Amino acid sequence: MALFPSCAELSGNNSSTGDRAPADLEWLSNQSFSKEDALKTHQRATERVQAEAEEPAGTREQKRKDREDSHDRSKKRKKEKKKKHKKKKSRDNSESGGSESDTVYPSDLLKKENADREEAQVRVSETFMWLDDLQTPSDSPFCIDRRADRANWEYKSLYRGDIARYKRKGGSCLGLDFRMQAVNWNDGGPEKKRVDKKPERYFCPSTRKLLRSDSLPALPVLSEGIAVSSDSYIKLSACTVEQGSSTQAPVSWVNPLGIYDRGTSLWLEGKGQLEVKGDQQDVEAQGSSSTLLSARVEEFNRKLRENPTDTQLWLDFIHFQDELAFGSGSFSAASDTDNDGDMKKMSLRAVLEKKLSIVDRAVESNPANVDLKLEKLHLCKELWEPATLQKEWKKLVFIHPNSAPLWRKYLLFTQSLFSTFSVSKVNSVFGKCLSTLSAVQDGSMVSHPPLPGTQEELLDIFLQQCHFLRQAGHTEKAVCLFQALLDFTFFKPDSVKDLPTRQQVDFFEPFWDSGEPRVGERGARGWKAWMLQQERGGWVIPSEPDDDDEEEQDDSEIKDKTWPKWKIWLDVEASREANHWLPWRPDKTKGQSEEDCEDPDRQVLFDDIGPSMIRVDRPDLQLQLILSFLQFLGLPGPSGKFSTTSSSNILLDDLTFLEEGPDPERPLTSYDLPMAGICAVGHMTFLSDCRRQAGLCKAGEEFLQNVLQQTLQLISAQDQAAITLCWLQYEKLKVLRCLRSGNKRRLKSQGKRSKRLAKRLLKEPDNRSSLALWREYAHLEWLLGNLEEARKVFDTALGMGVTRGLNDPVLCNLCFLYAQLEVEQALNSGTVPTSKAVYILTKLAEGAAYTPFSGQSNPVTVLKARKAYEQALLSFLPEQITGSNARAPKKLHRMSSLVGCFGLFQYLTMGIDAADALYNRAIQKLISWNLNSEVTDGSLRRPKVFADWESVAVQHVSLLRHHANTSVFPLSRLRLALTDVLSLLPSSASLWQLYLQTENRYHSAGRARRFFHSVAKKTDSVVPYLFAITAEQRLKQMLDSVQRSRLPGEALPTLPNNGLSNRIRCLFENATATEHGAHCPLLWRMYLNFMVCDGNAERGSGIFYKALQAVPWVKGLYMDAVQLFPERVQEFLDLMTEKELRLRVPMEEVDILLED
């Protein structure tokens, strides 16, 4: 049959005549096509349609439903067996691929099975049915598929292997005019929805992984003359600011203002720009991140294989595992796309186990190294149970009992382990630590030799124990520890000095239990005098009548019974904390006994303090012990009394350390007494307590005066001057607190007491020529408003010692303070500040007899004074680098006072530029000396050097700030001076206060945030974090006050929520996550207070329990929780009782007080 009807006649004629058709017409006929088969198929389809039309409607509907149900069942079974048929499908495809060579025509099969097919067609089912569903074997297992399939119509076959397959070569078609006609060969079926890939942004996981990698990112190379439009890469021109002046076009006749770039200038000159290849073409790829990490791993392995005893290399390799696991590359254990928390936990655990295996290998190679064992315990904290961890710690300190740093870490671990924490357990561990180190120090433990610096470490651990007891509320035990050690050190009998420490403690116990007065108590004579008298037969203490009026206590401790019970408890607890911190002793003159004590916790037994007795033989350590006790009682003293920064972080608990900034009325002298950040005894209350007592209670003040009078007789004359100076500074500090409180009545009474004490001290023969005491007394008179009296005191002191000249640092300090006060007074009164201050500084440089100021200074004397200052400074600066280290602290102290006088003199006579240059030169010399002495990054190993360096920096910055407030001055220079010195002294609170006040004038927090972040990550001190949080809180308070429309409870919609709360919370989280911030009490208390005050009480409750895991010994934390969550007060009190914290007022006693 012909394929085309128009050619059927031609084909038929050719076939009838018997002649062959022409060769060009053979393709028109198809011998394999049978017309009879087509007609039969059409006839069967017509008959079937007619039969269906004659059936009833119900029968047709039932058959249709059966077909649909069968079709749904088949689809479900296909989905269930989809995975099982994948292999079979691939095998079928391979078979069909091989059938292309041997083609079987469907017509041959059709002719062979024509009769069988016609018979079976009658029994064909109308619906699909699975073989398992056949009810009888006679049922036909075939059905009719009514879905159109062109291959079935054309080839009469259902087997797909019988269908001819071919590949199209090209897109043309024979017989068509390609200029006017075309064939679309694309499949006309439904196209898949095209998904456009969005360009990757900077926050995408792949981009962040690229930024973290060490290799250079591959940038697209843009050829010249080709415009490339890409959303993922935008080529920017080079920044002229970063490249410097070399990229800027020179000033010429075409560019007189220098505002055109180099290309524009060349174009104006008629020249072409030189062809410059892209930088990315010159820089070869440095390798992928995985390659670099692999190279570092190989390098670590090679070095450790060659030198397995390198401890620091092992530690670096252990810390490198974090970068290896959580960085980018093939070593990464958790990618950015892993949002599953379980996967991250598994990755962390895998990294910990890997680190632990490395540590085990390191310990095998270095079995005697302590640092590696400490690292192992630190890693096992997340893997082991607390009991197992504590057992390993005990084993470690048993093996290395002479390592003081190891004992420090063990003490910190014991303090912060909440599950097993109690005050008595930790106190016993402190006693065991001190007794063990004492045995090592005096040679009783012959198995382990003492390490260098053990004496200093012993005293530091003892002071840490005292502050631990103070923070836990057991101030009586802490005071008794100081009393016992002072007696044990200064009043030791000669007969027991050569004995070991343990035996000396055994002889000391009878004295402690005898009831004799101790250090700080009235009539104290000491251990030595008591033992001598016992050898002679003892003495009888006469009953002296107490002439002083007893402190009348208010019968009712409750101020207002209408308060809630939790508020009454807080008030009574804080009151007793301030008044009852001294240990209770029975007064034998009144017939009292130990049974008469109402609070048994106020009595301290020898078992609580005996193991902590240590030997302090060196005079410098003895002075440090006395000064530490005085600072414990609230006296100001030299900063940096602890040898490690971590110890200072644990003791920070005073919020006034952050809140009390410099006084605006005293811009130059506000930093004379810096805050230490440690609460004095009796002042440990809840965080937002506004009651700030000027000093101690009446009994406390009497105790302090007794301590001062008794200890002054035990030390050298030079140390006596230092302690007397602290005593007078304490009186000045109380006057300053009265000034800040604004209570004039209290200021007047306190001023009278302080002046009386200062005059009494100056009348003593040893103090009459002490210029330091004259300086403090004159400053005290100035603060009280007695300016003329203060000037007379200053002039008297200058008349006594001005002839010493610039060689005396104490005289320089006196003149420097006098000149600063005159400048501040002239500023407040509006007069010219140069005359009187310049006269004082000129007389200091002359070194001649001093006469009070009467008029203007002579210009010639000013020039001579400047020359004298320059010579004194030049003669000193070379020495502080080439001189010996023993004399360096004294020289630096001399330099700080000398630089202060010379800097103020230059400012008053020449201007701020001359003073700024002088201070910069002096600070550079100090930096060079400190780098040579290995005192870097605010280290407290040389507290004197640190204090003097900080003093010079504070003088410099305060002078710049004073000038910026009074004249036109760029604040950028002030900020630059602050950032430079804070990068080197990150733990200076005075400098941070100045920095906050400077940045507040910009109303832009971005610069300060970046600087805080850069400093905090480079230091071990928590001070930068505390001031960063304080800055954000002040900014939030300012914005909240702006949002308020002066109506309570209403907020303006002008300023939206700017995320400051989230930023502050992130700062708290980052600070508490660090090793040096996790155990800072002030940080946790601020965090808890912020969360609750910000309206998130539920999360604040979680922060409280999280803080208990880090600082469970801090009583102030529990008191803050009582104030913030008053409905759970009983729960917190039960927790304090369980952990043995000092609870002075049980809730049952509050009920009794309310009934009375």
Side-chain angles (χ1 to χ4, degrees), residues 32 196 573:
S32 64
D196 295 333
E573 183 75 17

Side-chain angles (χ1 to χ4, degrees), residues 289 381 542 806 1007 1112:
S289 177
K381 188 177 181 180
L806 298 174
R1007 184 190 300 108

Side-chain angles (χ1 to χ4, degrees), residues 821-835 962 966:
L821 293 173
E822 291 292 350
V823 172
E824 291 176 351
Q825 181 60 28
L827 178 64
N828 295 331
S829 60
T831 58
V832 181
T834 58
S835 54
H962 166 70
T966 56

